[in-house]
Amino acid sequence: MSRKEPLRAVKGMRDILPPDSRLWGHIEQVARDVFHAYAYNEIRTPLVEVTELFARGVGEETDIVTKEMYTWEDRDQQSLTLRPEATASVIRAYIEHQLYNPPGLKKFYYMGPMFRRERPQKGRYRQFFQIGTEAIGSESPALDAEVIEMVVALLSRLHLSGFTLLVNSVGCMECRPVYLAVLREELAKVRERLCADCQRRSETNPLRVFDCKVPADQPAIAQLPTISGSLCAACREHFDRLQRYLQDRRIAFTIEPRLVRGFDYYTRTTFEVVHGALGAQNALLGGGRYDGLTEALGGPRAPGIGFSLGEDRFVLAVQETMANRDSAAEGGLLYIAWLGEEAYRHSAELARELRSRNVAVELAADAGKLKKSLELAARLQARYVLIVGDQELAEGKYPLRDMASGEQRTVSKEELLERFAGARSKVAAER
Ligand code: AMP
């Protein structure tokens, strides 16, 4: 029989394999801990939504909606889309389940895959993962400052350094039209120096010109007026207060007047965190306020603010900076190597006891020479190796080797349980 051609994953979609998946899990766990500390609760929404949600929520003229969505007609002729982002879905759920009743601030976090049909490259995929939050029910800049504080806490808890926080205000429904009129006028003057997309955008949705990535367009775009000069008094005061609250928290930021981000729903505060280790795709996370979004989606007025972190890029940044790769990838695995049938049966019991106390144990499936076992354990990045043979059984004591230091000492079963399971339970109780 001829060998079949192996199949491959779809372009732009990838497998996350160990040991990387360990780092992914670690990031997600730390994110959950931080979000819980800021009183956010998890929300899980479907990966598939009706297409209109994104057309209305994200914006008809955005790159995402015009070019990047995976959309198809379902068997009942309904147009469906794989979610390109999660804010629209969270707001849909907020309205659908009337989560605005009783009134008050509602805080959610999510994590999961998003889908955009972009040109794949390092740090840009067609299925990628986002971790994000949404806080709905207040327009106070105190909330914006708290969200940014939480983002910075998350990054520092994951030992990421070398990032820059950019902030801006994109105004509101009052002052934005005034600015857009000015922008349209200026765009008309440089129209022929812009790409076809920007020529279209300058008529339909001029703010989206700032999302343009065509290098030849950049000199003309750099000359365009920014919204900062057109903010109304209320927006200016909102932005000033945000800056003051960030300064109170000793959070360093840079004002980036061209940071408008690729969604129509943003109002007032927008922010982004960029990282030098990421190359061209340097945005690690982005967020902003969306005071008109619930109304655009058919709900009551409910101003809110959220952010979304690109987990794929975050993993890349951590790996490039090597910040906490080792500590996160090395889970303290204990490898048990055994020699002989009796030793195996004894080891299996020992492994069961340790595992029931949440100690990560790998039990060799086959008897092996000691040298071979140590090689296997090293390949698994085991932290310790326990050796069980006839002599160890008779004495009730086992050699335990620390793979990092190469040190070896003899421990009894009680000492072993105390050292691994005892320590673990203490850590668990402290959390
Ligand atoms: P956005 O939803 O466009 O504001 O993106 C938020 C974050 O998601 C970005 O800062 C990136 O880190 C990440 N991201 C967006 N698009 C992609 C993609 N195609 N591949 C990987 N990460 C992405």
Side-chain angles (χ1 to χ4, degrees):
M1 210 173 81
S2 67
R3 222 173 124 174
K4 294 218 169 74
E5 188 67 20
L7 300 175
R8 303 178 66 93
V10 173
K11 185 177 171 190
M13 310 207 178
R14 49 191 199 130
D15 304 303
I16 308 296
L17 305 174
D20 287 359
S21 51
R22 238 197 143 90
L23 179 54
W24 284 69
H26 173 69
I27 291 168
E28 288 158 16
Q29 189 51 52
V30 172
R32 281 179 199 279
D33 290 347
V34 172
F35 297 156
H36 290 153
Y38 281 82
Y40 282 75
N41 281 304
E42 184 173 13
I43 184 166
R44 299 189 188 201
T45 61
L47 302 194
V48 176
E49 298 274 2
V50 298
T51 305
E52 197 190 340
L53 175 68
F54 304 111
R56 270 164 65 179
V58 176
E60 298 272 13
E61 264 306 316
T62 56
D63 277 358
I64 291 180
V65 171
T66 53
K67 304 187 211 161
E68 296 168 2
M69 294 203 304
Y70 285 92
T71 296
W72 70 97
E73 195 169 272
D74 207 21
R75 290 181 193 200
D76 58 3
Q77 279 82 53
Q78 191 176 28
S79 179
L80 300 179
T81 292
L82 278 176
R83 66 177 185 192
E85 59 101 56
T87 303
S89 304
V90 173
I91 301 299
R92 190 231 357 100
Y94 175 82
I95 299 167
E96 184 170 335
H97 304 287
Q98 299 179 10
L99 301 179
Y100 42 84
N101 277 332
L105 194 59
K106 302 291 152 62
K107 292 161 128 181
F108 307 101
Y109 74 85
Y110 60 84
M111 40 187 78
M114 309 295 156
F115 303 85
R116 295 183 198 169
R117 209 174 185 293
E118 296 189 86
R119 196 170 51 78
Q121 63 181 82
K122 186 181 170 200
R124 190 159 78 194
Y125 310 97
R126 290 179 168 181
Q127 174 177 312
F128 59 99
F129 288 77
Q130 286 188 336
I131 297 179
T133 65
E134 312 295 349
I136 315 162
S138 165
E139 60 181 341
S140 167
L143 188 58
D144 306 30
E146 190 190 78
V147 171
I148 293 176
E149 175 192 307
M150 178 172 73
V151 162
V152 172
L154 175 60
L155 298 183
S156 59
R157 219 173 300 164
L158 288 162
H159 307 293
L160 192 81
S161 52
F163 58 83
T164 306
L165 168 67
L166 309 173
V167 298
N168 190 27
S169 173
V170 294
C172 66
M173 295 312 156
E174 297 292 317
C175 52
R176 186 130 17 116
V178 181
Y179 168 65
L180 291 182
V182 177
L183 186 59
R184 267 205 184 89
E185 237 169 71
E186 291 304 312
L187 278 167
K189 295 182 195 158
V190 294
R191 199 168 183 277
E192 58 291 353
R193 287 161 55 198
L194 299 174
C195 68
D197 273 347
C198 282
Q199 296 197 1
R200 194 194 67 242
R201 289 169 182 143
S202 47
E203 316 252 300
T204 53
N205 192 344
L207 210 54
R208 296 278 69 86
V209 166
F210 291 109
D211 300 333
C212 175
K213 305 209 174 65
V214 177
D217 286 22
Q218 299 312 312
I221 293 174
Q223 298 300 316
L224 294 170
T226 60
I227 195 162
S228 13
S230 310
L231 293 180
C232 63
C235 285
R236 172 125 310 281
E237 135 107 357
H238 194 275
F239 195 35
D240 287 346
R241 279 176 65 198
L242 168 64
Q243 291 175 49
R244 201 153 61 235
Y245 296 157
L246 290 178
Q247 282 153 0
D248 289 348
R249 290 166 166 80
R250 290 179 295 283
I251 293 173
F253 61 90
T254 303
I255 298 180
E256 172 48 86
R258 286 186 170 73
L259 182 71
V260 298
R261 304 190 24 79
F263 302 91
D264 280 354
Y265 54 60
Y266 283 122
T267 47
R268 294 188 166 167
T269 310
T270 55
F271 62 96
E272 204 160 89
V273 168
V274 293
H275 197 281
L278 287 170
Q281 302 302 316
N282 69 347
L284 202 55
L285 64 88
R289 181 162 272 292
Y290 41 78
D291 294 346
L293 183 58
T294 45
E295 286 155 296
L297 293 176
R301 177 167 168 77
I305 176 163
F307 85 94
S308 198
L309 173 143
E311 200 176 355
D312 306 72
R313 289 189 199 171
F314 192 84
V315 168
L316 277 175
V318 169
Q319 288 177 337
E320 298 276 326
T321 56
M322 295 298 288
N324 61 352
R325 188 186 191 180
D326 291 343
S327 60
E330 182 259 290
L333 185 70
L334 171 68
Y335 188 94
I336 304 183
W338 49 269
L339 306 141
E341 179 69 7
E342 267 316 295
Y344 166 71
R345 295 175 66 191
H346 182 81
S347 302
E349 178 59 23
L350 204 55
R352 196 175 60 80
E353 253 180 80
L354 286 160
R355 285 166 167 163
S356 73
R357 292 167 157 89
N358 285 335
V359 181
V361 175
E362 180 62 296
L363 178 62
D366 297 292
K369 297 237 160 56
L370 189 58
K371 186 161 172 278
K372 191 92 192 276
S373 299
L374 290 177
E375 280 169 15
L376 279 174
R379 222 173 295 152
L380 286 170
Q381 296 185 323
R383 181 82 169 83
Y384 296 96
V385 177
L386 188 77
I387 299 149
V388 184
D390 288 346
Q391 198 187 335
E392 285 75 24
L393 283 187
E395 291 172 5
K397 288 202 170 243
Y398 329 87
L400 177 71
R401 179 189 280 248
D402 181 330
M403 295 293 276
S405 65
E407 222 171 86
Q408 189 162 306
R409 55 194 209 92
T410 308
V411 292
S412 67
K413 182 176 167 186
E414 288 66 38
E415 282 166 342
L416 190 69
L417 288 177
E418 170 63 25
R419 172 160 188 168
F420 288 93
R424 294 279 159 134
S425 337
K426 203 163 139 247
V427 172
E430 279 169 3
R431 291 186 72 186

